[in-house]
Amino acid sequence: MTLRFVGIDPNTGGDGSPTVWVEEETADLVIQGEEADDLLRAQVGGTQWVAGHDTGIPPHETVIRIPARMVPILREACDDAERRAGLRDDAEDR
């Protein structure tokens, strides 16, 4: 697995750092962030966001929080992932 580093929280200190990568082979986003607190996990896991879809957070998933100041970094990662997955024509960037 090869990760392409996209960016890190610009306000990070040295003891934790929300970070975004794109996995080059699959074009998946890989995100490191602050683990959601109990209240946020309860809200996410206890709400039926899509009719007919189970509630709860499966054991193999988690909820993370990414600071809003990282939106430009996430946008860059999404654009890169779209191009790598063939979901976007590079002409759209011109």
Side-chain angles (χ1 to χ4, degrees):
M1 169 178 16
T2 303
L3 297 176
R4 186 183 82 72
F5 172 79
V6 177
I8 192 168
D9 180 353
N11 290 2
T12 192
D15 61 342
S17 44
T19 307
V20 180
W21 301 265
V22 174
E23 203 275 307
E24 291 191 351
E25 288 77 29
T26 64
D28 289 345
L29 297 180
V30 177
I31 300 174
Q32 174 184 326
E34 180 182 335
E35 187 174 351
D37 61 25
D38 291 339
L39 181 61
L40 181 55
R41 277 195 306 274
Q43 181 180 5
V44 169
T47 303
Q48 187 177 44
W49 299 100
V50 177
H53 194 279
D54 291 342
T55 59
I57 301 166
H60 65 282
E61 296 181 0
T62 192
V63 176
I64 60 170
R65 180 183 293 274
I66 298 292
R69 62 185 167 265
M70 290 187 66
V71 167
I73 294 167
L74 288 170
R75 188 174 293 117
E76 179 184 341
C78 290
D79 289 346
D80 184 52
E82 280 184 323
R83 281 189 296 273
R84 288 181 183 281
L87 301 174
R88 181 173 164 167
D89 182 358
D90 285 336
E92 292 179 29
D93 293 335
R94 294 183 201 133

